[in-house]
Amino acid sequence: MSAATTRSRTPDRLCAEAVDLARAAAEEAAAPGVVGEHVSAVSEGDRVVTHLFECKEMGYRGWRWAVTVARASRSKLVTLDETVLLPGPDSLQAPEWVPWSDRLRPGDMGPGDLLPTEAEDLRLEPGWSGEDVPPPNSVLRESVTPQALADLVEAEDIEVTAEPDLDAASATTGRGTISAVAEELGMRRARVLSRYGLHIAADRWDESFGAKTPMAQAAPAPCVSCGFLLPLAGSLRQAFGVCANEFSPADGRVVSLAYGCGGHSEAAVMPTPPRPAPHVLDELGADAFSLEPSGDAAAAGAPPPSDATPENPETPDNA
C-alpha cells in the first residue's frame, strides 16, 4: 500500500479538529435547533475531511448534515468546502423513482385519463401510411396539370371535348382517393397491432381465462363446444372467443377455446320440476256433523239402531 493511500484514509488532524467550523456552517444552512450531536469525521482524501452531524428536523429521521472542510498543502488554515444533508444507514427515504410507463398497471386508467403511446411501441406497426398519391398517369391524380393531361390524350389518342376540373371534383367529393377507400373499408388507421403485440395479448388472455385455470380444470367441457361462445375474427379465431353467458365468470371477456366453466350450454339438462304427491288426508275439505241428536233417539235415551243389526234375528236351536 502506498503512502498516498495511507494518508488519504487517515483524517487530517487540523481538518478533523475543525468541528466548530463545521457546526457553524451546518447551522447556517439549516434551521435553528436542527443540527444535533457530532457523529463522526470521515476522510475524503488528502487534507479533506467530512464532519457528520445528527439532523433533528421533522421528517428526516436518520439523516445527517455533512460538512466538508479542507486545507491547502503546508497551510494551517482550514476552509469550508460544502454543506449538504445526506441520508444515513437507517434513514427514512423515498422509494426509487420509477417512470409512469413502468408504474402503470391494468385498471389504473379512469374517465378523462389520457395514455400516450410511444412512437416506437413494439406492440404496434405502421398501418395505412396516409399517403394519397395515385400513379402519375391516373385520372384521379390531384396534381394533374393541363399540359400533362394533353400529353396523356395525345399519347393515348383520346378525343376530349372538354377539360375536366379534377381539382374541384376531388375537393368537393373526395371519391376515388386512397384515403376515401381506406376509410370506407375500415382500414384508415395509422398503426395496427404488430405480431409481438398479438402474441403478448394472447398470452395475457390465456393466463386469465385459459386451460390452466382452476375453473377450466373443473369444467365439464371446453368453450369450443359451448353455444355461448362468440368467435373472434382474423387469426385469433383459431384460439379465442368472447363469452356471452351472463352467469359465467367470463361474461364479456375474451376466453381461450380450451377454457370452460360450469355454465357450459351442454353441461346438463335442467330436470323437470317434480309434481307433488296427492294428499293422503284431505285437510282442505270439511265434514258436516249434526250438533243435536234426532227426536226419537233423544226420547228413548238410547242410540239409534245400527244398520248392521237385522230386524228379526234368528235364535239358534241350542240357545
Side-chain angles (χ1 to χ4, degrees):
M1 184 179 296
S2 63
T5 306
T6 305
R7 289 196 305 268
S8 63
R9 291 187 176 182
T10 303
D12 182 75
R13 183 179 61 85
L14 296 179
C15 293
E17 294 176 354
V19 178
D20 296 337
L21 175 64
R23 178 181 294 276
E27 292 178 350
E28 183 180 357
V34 170
V35 181
E37 299 295 332
H38 184 265
V39 177
S40 62
V42 181
S43 175
E44 303 290 351
D46 292 342
R47 298 175 299 278
V48 180
V49 176
T50 298
H51 294 272
L52 302 176
F53 299 90
E54 294 181 356
C55 180
K56 297 183 179 181
E57 188 171 358
M58 299 294 295
Y60 288 86
R61 184 186 62 188
W63 287 64
R64 300 176 297 185
W65 286 100
V67 181
T68 303
V69 296
R71 70 178 181 90
S73 178
R74 299 180 181 181
S75 175
K76 296 183 179 181
L77 180 62
V78 179
T79 57
L80 179 65
D81 192 355
E82 63 177 353
T83 303
V84 293
L85 183 62
L86 298 178
D90 56 345
S91 61
L92 182 62
Q93 303 183 52
E96 184 179 356
W97 183 82
V98 181
W100 66 266
S101 56
D102 298 337
R103 297 194 309 266
L104 190 65
R105 292 294 178 266
D108 291 347
M109 291 189 61
D113 295 340
L114 299 179
L115 178 59
T117 305
E118 298 181 3
E120 302 297 333
D121 196 329
L122 298 179
R123 299 172 300 173
L124 301 173
E125 62 183 8
W128 176 66
S129 62
E131 297 180 358
D132 194 5
V133 183
N137 295 335
S138 175
V139 295
L140 302 175
R141 185 176 177 89
E142 299 179 359
S143 59
V144 175
T145 60
Q147 182 63 32
L149 182 61
D151 297 341
L152 177 62
V153 171
E154 183 179 356
E156 299 292 339
D157 193 14
I158 302 175
E159 182 179 356
V160 180
T161 57
E163 181 178 336
D165 190 358
L166 298 179
D167 294 339
S170 176
T172 55
T173 62
R175 297 182 59 186
T177 61
I178 296 179
S179 59
V181 175
E183 184 175 3
E184 184 176 355
L185 297 178
M187 299 186 301
R188 191 174 184 179
R189 292 184 293 171
R191 289 188 291 180
V192 295
L193 196 64
S194 64
R195 190 172 186 84
Y196 171 75
L198 189 67
H199 284 177
I200 61 176
D203 294 341
R204 186 172 61 253
W205 296 338
D206 188 74
E207 182 178 357
S208 300
F209 297 96
K212 297 182 179 180
T213 58
M215 182 66 72
Q217 296 291 335
C223 292
V224 66
S225 59
C226 182
F228 295 106
L229 181 72
L230 300 177
L232 297 180
S235 60
L236 290 179
R237 183 186 181 92
Q238 304 176 7
F240 295 97
V242 179
C243 179
N245 188 355
E246 59 179 331
F247 300 106
S248 171
D251 180 34
R253 304 292 187 90
V254 179
V255 297
S256 172
L257 298 184
Y259 180 74
C261 67
H264 195 280
S265 61
E266 311 302 329
V269 179
M270 294 295 294
T272 305
R275 300 184 60 181
H279 292 286
V280 177
L281 177 62
D282 186 7
E283 297 180 351
L284 302 179
D287 296 334
F289 293 96
S290 178
L291 298 179
E292 297 180 358
S294 60
D296 298 339
S306 175
D307 296 340
T309 304
E311 296 180 357
N312 297 318
E314 297 181 356
T315 302
D317 296 340
N318 56 356

